[in-house]
Amino acid sequence: MSHKIFIHHDGALGDVLLSLPAICLIKGDNFLHLSARDEIAGFLLKAGVINQHSRLSSSFYLPLYTDSKDISLKRFFSQFGKAFVFSTKDPSIVANSIKKLLPETTEIKTIPDKNIKINAAEFRLRQLANKCKIFIPKNIFTQQYASTLLKISLINIDTARNFLFNSGYDNKSPLISIHLGSGGVQKCWAIENYFEIIEALLRDYKPFMLIFSGHAESVSTKAMINNFIKGKRNIIHISNTELMMVSSLLSLSDIYLGNDSGVSHLASLLCHKSVVIFGPTDPLIWKPPYANVMVISSNYECSPCDASMLRDCEYKRCLAEISVSTVLNKLRNL
């Protein structure tokens, strides 16, 4: 029997994508309404993951945080058979409020306890299995399974192909995508290192290269990228592009390189091979869990670190210890 299901997710792009295997299992044949950040929810609607969405920050949901009784909310939740709340908060105020309106509400913690060393995606799936008796397929972290989670339409793929053709791509060279930013600047490998990697790849393999930047990257970073690619052939800078276009271009890419970021999680679902650089965050917990992802980290003595150490760190030795030659050799092996 199918249900209309409500899902609340308070995470950014990478965090929501770590929940994607769980969300897709919840969906099954059900009708799914997702309350999340607007751009993310809108993208997942276009990608066929959900059927309906609403904005997480909508004033409509404010009573969930204040525990006040609201007739409109009560009427809204009466249409759903079940609810799932994915949250960093433990306990979650939102989950407790929704439970009063919809008793069949399941809370999924998104971050494992400090003493539990497990990938965040698997941690969420285990809760789903234990609390809801949902069967978890053994092949869920294979590249083949990952490729089924997001549905990029042929129309969007053709739009990306046309964009590449008009940008000079001949469809014969390797297509390499790079995102040298992240939502947290402390997680970023030095931009000069990326430039050195790009120079070596262009010289040795003559690929066509895409450099992505988004709203998290500063104006100065974008200016540095534009200055770097000036006069170079077969390399373009794609900035502040909607997620569906980014996804379509990633799905056409042979190799992806980036930091621990939302775009890297997106690439892990779409690219043939992904290389992700980790510094202060723990790859065991936060890496994209799929078989096509290669992680590079220095295992420096103080990494991974907690939020306060990360905030106060001046040197980022965990990232500085990762050499250009190490990353370049990994890419050459691919």
Side-chain angles (χ1 to χ4, degrees):
M1 180 182 175
S2 62
H3 295 276
K4 192 169 184 181
I5 295 176
F6 176 86
I7 292 181
H8 166 101
H9 204 303
D10 60 12
L13 178 62
D15 197 44
V16 173
L17 292 177
L18 280 167
S19 298
L20 193 60
I23 290 171
C24 288
L25 287 177
I26 291 168
K27 185 176 189 295
D29 296 325
N30 299 308
F31 183 99
L32 224 56
H33 179 110
L34 174 67
S35 171
R37 300 186 189 190
D38 206 35
E39 185 187 16
I40 298 168
F43 165 67
L44 293 181
L45 180 68
K46 292 176 184 175
V49 177
I50 61 173
N51 305 100
Q52 196 177 58
H53 71 93
S54 54
R55 189 161 40 90
L56 185 71
S57 58
S58 169
S59 59
F60 179 74
Y61 292 121
L62 279 177
L64 294 176
Y65 297 89
T66 60
D67 201 28
S68 64
K69 293 179 172 62
D70 185 276
I71 299 299
S72 298
L73 268 181
K74 187 174 182 180
R75 190 181 302 119
F76 173 75
F77 280 101
S78 68
Q79 67 183 297
F80 299 104
K82 297 179 180 179
F84 292 83
V85 178
F86 290 78
S87 180
T88 57
K89 307 293 190 297
D90 183 29
S92 167
I93 295 171
V94 172
N96 290 336
S97 296
I98 294 176
K99 276 179 187 176
K100 294 174 183 177
L101 302 168
L102 182 58
E104 202 166 341
T105 295
T106 302
E107 185 176 352
I108 305 291
K109 284 175 57 179
T110 54
I111 302 178
D113 295 332
K114 286 185 177 180
N115 60 329
I116 300 176
K117 289 292 185 179
I118 183 176
N119 185 267
E122 186 176 348
F123 176 65
R124 297 165 201 189
L125 285 168
R126 286 190 183 181
Q127 292 175 76
L128 200 60
N130 293 336
K131 294 179 179 182
C132 306
K133 309 305 177 188
I134 291 178
F135 173 74
I136 311 299
K138 288 184 178 178
N139 69 334
I140 200 159
F141 293 136
T142 62
Q143 186 177 1
Q144 184 178 7
Y145 189 94
S147 67
T148 67
L149 297 179
L150 295 174
K151 296 174 179 64
I152 311 299
S153 72
L154 289 176
I155 292 174
N156 286 311
I157 296 293
D158 285 342
T159 300
R161 279 203 179 100
N162 288 333
F163 170 80
L164 290 171
F165 177 77
N166 292 329
S167 301
Y169 180 50
D170 61 6
N171 205 31
K172 296 176 183 176
S173 308
L175 183 61
I176 299 178
S177 288
I178 291 179
H179 179 227
L180 39 70
S182 171
V185 71
Q186 295 285 67
K187 298 189 289 182
C188 295
W189 200 42
I191 192 170
E192 295 81 7
N193 292 342
Y194 278 105
F195 289 165
E196 196 174 335
I197 292 279
I198 292 166
E199 293 271 20
L201 293 174
L202 287 171
R203 182 184 64 244
D204 297 342
Y205 298 99
K206 297 179 172 55
F208 195 90
M209 304 194 72
L210 310 176
I211 301 180
F212 292 97
S213 68
H215 300 294
E217 282 71 67
S218 66
V219 172
S220 61
T221 295
K222 291 171 185 175
M224 287 175 71
I225 296 170
N226 288 333
N227 187 57
F228 170 74
I229 68 172
K230 195 177 295 181
K232 291 182 173 66
R233 296 181 59 193
N234 294 345
I235 181 166
I236 54 176
H237 177 201
I238 300 168
S239 183
N240 297 347
T241 303
E242 64 170 12
L243 283 175
M244 184 51 75
M245 184 59 166
V246 173
S247 300
S248 301
L249 290 167
L250 289 173
S251 72
L252 296 171
S253 301
D254 299 295
I255 295 174
Y256 168 85
L257 171 67
N259 304 305
D260 174 19
S261 71
V263 176
S264 292
H265 282 277
L266 195 57
S268 73
L269 294 158
L270 299 165
C271 280
H272 180 60
K273 294 287 183 182
S274 294
V275 177
V276 185
I277 297 170
F278 274 79
T281 48
D282 191 343
L284 184 65
I285 296 172
W286 298 114
K287 89 174 196 74
Y290 307 105
N292 59 318
V293 178
M294 180 183 294
V295 165
I296 298 177
S297 63
S298 65
N299 297 315
Y300 195 68
E301 59 186 15
C302 61
S303 67
C305 60
D306 60 29
S308 60
M309 286 177 64
L310 177 59
R311 186 176 56 251
D312 298 333
C313 181
E314 295 180 35
Y315 305 109
K316 295 197 294 185
R317 292 297 300 274
C318 55
L319 285 166
E321 291 290 319
I322 299 172
S323 68
V324 168
S325 60
T326 297
V327 178
L328 195 52
N329 287 335
K330 296 289 186 184
L331 293 169
R332 283 178 170 146
N333 288 337
L334 297 180

